[in-house]
Amino acid sequence: MAYQGDSREDSPQRKLGRGKIEIKRIENTTNRQVTFCKRRNGLLKKAYELSVLCDAEVALIVFSSRGRLYEYANNSVKTTIDRYKKASSDTSNTGTVAEVNAQFYQQEAAKLRVQIGNLQNSNRHMLGESLGALSVKELKSLEIRLEKGISRIRSKKEIDLHNNNQLLRSKIAENERKQQSMNLMPGGGSFDIMQQQQYDNRNYFQVNALQPTNHYPHQDQMPLQLV
């Protein structure tokens, strides 16, 4: 089926059979641009489907007639191009695809080992080790990085200390409120004092009960006689 943006010029050779168009340059600028957009989108879709369905590494590069770049890659265009160059560098074509892939992954592993070594050296420099090979400029850069790191560490430490102090203050205030509530309760901290006061009051009443009062006559008073 022909796309709507395809050439509309009347030509006896425009169509070759039902639903097909003659593959040649579209002269009409507008139709050519519309066809480019539709065909480009279809091509990008097919590249995506191929990479997902077949687990293939796909890189697609398209330049329009105006020089605009359109690309798609499920890995990256640069990585796929590098892989293509390495695979096609053997002009004798004596190596198999498996050997080419093995060589590619060996080179990638070597790059990763170099990166790991650089990271290890950077960590040693941060610890003040293996500084003999560094230049004055490199030492200055290392000093600046260390100062920035120390500044961030101190800032983080101050924030943590502040948060811990706030937490301790809230716990102390909560404990004080609980203690005050317990002191105000009948069964709280004043219970022993109240018991002691009640005991002393009982003893006081019992002692007073044994002592004579003015309500009863003394024994030395004269008894009453009937006349």
mmCIF file of all heavy atoms in Angstrom, residues 158-181:
data_model
loop_
_atom_site.group_PDB
_atom_site.id
_atom_site.type_symbol
_atom_site.label_atom_id
_atom_site.label_comp_id
_atom_site.label_asym_id
_atom_site.label_seq_id
_atom_site.Cartn_x
_atom_site.Cartn_y
_atom_site.Cartn_z
ATOM 1 N N GLU A 158 27.760 17.976 62.035
ATOM 2 C CA GLU A 158 27.040 18.990 62.810
ATOM 3 C C GLU A 158 25.538 18.768 62.738
ATOM 4 O O GLU A 158 24.827 18.922 63.740
ATOM 5 C CB GLU A 158 27.401 20.379 62.282
ATOM 6 C CG GLU A 158 28.847 20.795 62.583
ATOM 7 C CD GLU A 158 29.187 22.131 61.956
ATOM 8 O OE1 GLU A 158 28.292 22.696 61.273
ATOM 9 O OE2 GLU A 158 30.313 22.604 62.141
ATOM 10 N N ILE A 159 25.052 18.408 61.572
ATOM 11 C CA ILE A 159 23.616 18.151 61.432
ATOM 12 C C ILE A 159 23.206 16.963 62.297
ATOM 13 O O ILE A 159 22.179 16.992 62.995
ATOM 14 C CB ILE A 159 23.260 17.910 59.957
ATOM 15 C CG1 ILE A 159 23.469 19.193 59.147
ATOM 16 C CG2 ILE A 159 21.827 17.413 59.810
ATOM 17 C CD1 ILE A 159 23.292 19.009 57.651
ATOM 18 N N ASP A 160 24.019 15.887 62.277
ATOM 19 C CA ASP A 160 23.694 14.710 63.084
ATOM 20 C C ASP A 160 23.736 15.025 64.573
ATOM 21 O O ASP A 160 22.876 14.570 65.341
ATOM 22 C CB ASP A 160 24.668 13.569 62.760
ATOM 23 C CG ASP A 160 24.442 13.000 61.369
ATOM 24 O OD1 ASP A 160 23.365 13.261 60.807
ATOM 25 O OD2 ASP A 160 25.338 12.316 60.849
ATOM 26 N N LEU A 161 24.743 15.799 65.009
ATOM 27 C CA LEU A 161 24.827 16.169 66.420
ATOM 28 C C LEU A 161 23.631 17.011 66.842
ATOM 29 O O LEU A 161 23.074 16.831 67.932
ATOM 30 C CB LEU A 161 26.134 16.920 66.689
ATOM 31 C CG LEU A 161 27.425 16.091 66.633
ATOM 32 C CD1 LEU A 161 28.639 16.986 66.796
ATOM 33 C CD2 LEU A 161 27.416 15.014 67.710
ATOM 34 N N HIS A 162 23.245 17.934 65.977
ATOM 35 C CA HIS A 162 22.087 18.768 66.288
ATOM 36 C C HIS A 162 20.820 17.919 66.415
ATOM 37 O O HIS A 162 20.024 18.102 67.353
ATOM 38 C CB HIS A 162 21.908 19.819 65.192
ATOM 39 C CG HIS A 162 20.689 20.668 65.364
ATOM 40 N ND1 HIS A 162 20.586 21.646 66.333
ATOM 41 C CD2 HIS A 162 19.490 20.667 64.698
ATOM 42 C CE1 HIS A 162 19.398 22.222 66.260
ATOM 43 N NE2 HIS A 162 18.717 21.650 65.276
ATOM 44 N N ASN A 163 20.646 16.988 65.498
ATOM 45 C CA ASN A 163 19.467 16.122 65.559
ATOM 46 C C ASN A 163 19.485 15.246 66.811
ATOM 47 O O ASN A 163 18.449 15.036 67.454
ATOM 48 C CB ASN A 163 19.397 15.251 64.307
ATOM 49 C CG ASN A 163 19.135 16.057 63.054
ATOM 50 O OD1 ASN A 163 18.569 17.153 63.115
ATOM 51 N ND2 ASN A 163 19.529 15.540 61.905
ATOM 52 N N ASN A 164 20.671 14.728 67.177
ATOM 53 C CA ASN A 164 20.778 13.906 68.386
ATOM 54 C C ASN A 164 20.477 14.724 69.635
ATOM 55 O O ASN A 164 19.819 14.236 70.568
ATOM 56 C CB ASN A 164 22.168 13.283 68.468
ATOM 57 C CG ASN A 164 22.413 12.243 67.397
ATOM 58 O OD1 ASN A 164 21.461 11.651 66.880
ATOM 59 N ND2 ASN A 164 23.660 12.008 67.046
ATOM 60 N N ASN A 165 20.968 15.959 69.683
ATOM 61 C CA ASN A 165 20.692 16.819 70.840
ATOM 62 C C ASN A 165 19.197 17.115 70.952
ATOM 63 O O ASN A 165 18.634 17.121 72.053
ATOM 64 C CB ASN A 165 21.485 18.122 70.732
ATOM 65 C CG ASN A 165 22.972 17.912 70.938
ATOM 66 O OD1 ASN A 165 23.383 16.941 71.585
ATOM 67 N ND2 ASN A 165 23.793 18.790 70.398
ATOM 68 N N GLN A 166 18.573 17.382 69.821
ATOM 69 C CA GLN A 166 17.133 17.625 69.841
ATOM 70 C C GLN A 166 16.377 16.405 70.348
ATOM 71 O O GLN A 166 15.417 16.516 71.124
ATOM 72 C CB GLN A 166 16.642 17.997 68.439
ATOM 73 C CG GLN A 166 17.138 19.349 67.934
ATOM 74 C CD GLN A 166 16.549 20.493 68.738
ATOM 75 O OE1 GLN A 166 17.241 21.122 69.539
ATOM 76 N NE2 GLN A 166 15.278 20.742 68.541
ATOM 77 N N LEU A 167 16.831 15.222 69.925
ATOM 78 C CA LEU A 167 16.176 13.996 70.376
ATOM 79 C C LEU A 167 16.362 13.792 71.877
ATOM 80 O O LEU A 167 15.417 13.423 72.589
ATOM 81 C CB LEU A 167 16.743 12.799 69.597
ATOM 82 C CG LEU A 167 16.169 11.424 69.940
ATOM 83 C CD1 LEU A 167 14.669 11.391 69.648
ATOM 84 C CD2 LEU A 167 16.880 10.336 69.139
ATOM 85 N N LEU A 168 17.564 14.053 72.387
ATOM 86 C CA LEU A 168 17.812 13.906 73.818
ATOM 87 C C LEU A 168 16.988 14.906 74.620
ATOM 88 O O LEU A 168 16.446 14.567 75.680
ATOM 89 C CB LEU A 168 19.305 14.085 74.105
ATOM 90 C CG LEU A 168 20.223 12.958 73.627
ATOM 91 C CD1 LEU A 168 21.679 13.317 73.864
ATOM 92 C CD2 LEU A 168 19.888 11.653 74.332
ATOM 93 N N ARG A 169 16.909 16.131 74.136
ATOM 94 C CA ARG A 169 16.106 17.135 74.843
ATOM 95 C C ARG A 169 14.636 16.712 74.918
ATOM 96 O O ARG A 169 13.982 16.862 75.955
ATOM 97 C CB ARG A 169 16.223 18.490 74.149
ATOM 98 C CG ARG A 169 17.589 19.167 74.293
ATOM 99 C CD ARG A 169 17.530 20.607 73.831
ATOM 100 N NE ARG A 169 18.833 21.241 73.874
ATOM 101 C CZ ARG A 169 19.631 21.368 72.828
ATOM 102 N NH1 ARG A 169 19.250 20.891 71.645
ATOM 103 N NH2 ARG A 169 20.813 21.954 72.930
ATOM 104 N N SER A 170 14.124 16.192 73.832
ATOM 105 C CA SER A 170 12.730 15.772 73.834
ATOM 106 C C SER A 170 12.513 14.600 74.788
ATOM 107 O O SER A 170 11.492 14.540 75.493
ATOM 108 C CB SER A 170 12.303 15.379 72.425
ATOM 109 O OG SER A 170 13.053 14.281 71.943
ATOM 110 N N LYS A 171 13.484 13.676 74.862
ATOM 111 C CA LYS A 171 13.352 12.550 75.783
ATOM 112 C C LYS A 171 13.418 13.010 77.235
ATOM 113 O O LYS A 171 12.662 12.536 78.088
ATOM 114 C CB LYS A 171 14.454 11.517 75.508
ATOM 115 C CG LYS A 171 14.251 10.737 74.218
ATOM 116 C CD LYS A 171 15.319 9.681 74.053
ATOM 117 C CE LYS A 171 15.077 8.848 72.803
ATOM 118 N NZ LYS A 171 16.123 7.804 72.627
ATOM 119 N N ILE A 172 14.332 13.955 77.524
ATOM 120 C CA ILE A 172 14.433 14.480 78.891
ATOM 121 C C ILE A 172 13.149 15.191 79.283
ATOM 122 O O ILE A 172 12.622 15.012 80.396
ATOM 123 C CB ILE A 172 15.644 15.421 78.997
ATOM 124 C CG1 ILE A 172 16.955 14.619 78.863
ATOM 125 C CG2 ILE A 172 15.631 16.171 80.327
ATOM 126 C CD1 ILE A 172 18.188 15.478 78.777
ATOM 127 N N ALA A 173 12.610 16.002 78.387
ATOM 128 C CA ALA A 173 11.363 16.700 78.684
ATOM 129 C C ALA A 173 10.222 15.724 78.896
ATOM 130 O O ALA A 173 9.385 15.901 79.800
ATOM 131 C CB ALA A 173 11.035 17.670 77.553
ATOM 132 N N GLU A 174 10.196 14.669 78.108
ATOM 133 C CA GLU A 174 9.155 13.665 78.271
ATOM 134 C C GLU A 174 9.273 12.947 79.606
ATOM 135 O O GLU A 174 8.277 12.703 80.297
ATOM 136 C CB GLU A 174 9.227 12.666 77.119
ATOM 137 C CG GLU A 174 8.140 11.611 77.145
ATOM 138 C CD GLU A 174 8.250 10.646 75.974
ATOM 139 O OE1 GLU A 174 9.163 10.840 75.150
ATOM 140 O OE2 GLU A 174 7.426 9.724 75.894
ATOM 141 N N ASN A 175 10.508 12.612 80.009
ATOM 142 C CA ASN A 175 10.715 11.963 81.307
ATOM 143 C C ASN A 175 10.310 12.882 82.458
ATOM 144 O O ASN A 175 9.742 12.434 83.457
ATOM 145 C CB ASN A 175 12.170 11.543 81.450
ATOM 146 C CG ASN A 175 12.544 10.407 80.520
ATOM 147 O OD1 ASN A 175 11.673 9.638 80.116
ATOM 148 N ND2 ASN A 175 13.812 10.293 80.171
ATOM 149 N N GLU A 176 10.603 14.175 82.341
ATOM 150 C CA GLU A 176 10.209 15.114 83.383
ATOM 151 C C GLU A 176 8.688 15.217 83.499
ATOM 152 O O GLU A 176 8.135 15.266 84.601
ATOM 153 C CB GLU A 176 10.823 16.484 83.101
ATOM 154 C CG GLU A 176 12.336 16.526 83.288
ATOM 155 C CD GLU A 176 12.911 17.888 82.944
ATOM 156 O OE1 GLU A 176 12.150 18.701 82.390
ATOM 157 O OE2 GLU A 176 14.104 18.113 83.228
ATOM 158 N N ARG A 177 8.009 15.232 82.356
ATOM 159 C CA ARG A 177 6.548 15.274 82.397
ATOM 160 C C ARG A 177 5.980 14.013 83.046
ATOM 161 O O ARG A 177 5.032 14.077 83.831
ATOM 162 C CB ARG A 177 5.999 15.449 80.982
ATOM 163 C CG ARG A 177 6.213 16.841 80.389
ATOM 164 C CD ARG A 177 5.378 17.033 79.142
ATOM 165 N NE ARG A 177 5.755 16.098 78.086
ATOM 166 C CZ ARG A 177 6.661 16.344 77.163
ATOM 167 N NH1 ARG A 177 7.297 17.508 77.160
ATOM 168 N NH2 ARG A 177 6.932 15.447 76.231
ATOM 169 N N LYS A 178 6.554 12.868 82.734
ATOM 170 C CA LYS A 178 6.086 11.626 83.339
ATOM 171 C C LYS A 178 6.314 11.631 84.847
ATOM 172 O O LYS A 178 5.472 11.170 85.620
ATOM 173 C CB LYS A 178 6.793 10.429 82.693
ATOM 174 C CG LYS A 178 6.367 10.163 81.260
ATOM 175 C CD LYS A 178 7.090 8.950 80.705
ATOM 176 C CE LYS A 178 6.651 8.642 79.282
ATOM 177 N NZ LYS A 178 7.365 7.478 78.718
ATOM 178 N N GLN A 179 7.484 12.139 85.276
ATOM 179 C CA GLN A 179 7.789 12.175 86.698
ATOM 180 C C GLN A 179 6.827 13.098 87.442
ATOM 181 O O GLN A 179 6.348 12.769 88.534
ATOM 182 C CB GLN A 179 9.244 12.648 86.902
ATOM 183 C CG GLN A 179 9.737 12.571 88.336
ATOM 184 C CD GLN A 179 9.808 11.136 88.816
ATOM 185 O OE1 GLN A 179 10.054 10.232 88.028
ATOM 186 N NE2 GLN A 179 9.573 10.928 90.102
ATOM 187 N N GLN A 180 6.516 14.242 86.843
ATOM 188 C CA GLN A 180 5.560 15.152 87.465
ATOM 189 C C GLN A 180 4.181 14.520 87.555
ATOM 190 O O GLN A 180 3.482 14.661 88.560
ATOM 191 C CB GLN A 180 5.503 16.463 86.683
ATOM 192 C CG GLN A 180 6.775 17.299 86.770
ATOM 193 C CD GLN A 180 6.702 18.530 85.899
ATOM 194 O OE1 GLN A 180 5.713 18.746 85.204
ATOM 195 N NE2 GLN A 180 7.743 19.346 85.949
ATOM 196 N N SER A 181 3.781 13.805 86.527
ATOM 197 C CA SER A 181 2.478 13.141 86.558
ATOM 198 C C SER A 181 2.436 12.074 87.641
ATOM 199 O O SER A 181 1.440 11.920 88.344
ATOM 200 C CB SER A 181 2.189 12.515 85.192
ATOM 201 O OG SER A 181 2.158 13.507 84.188
#
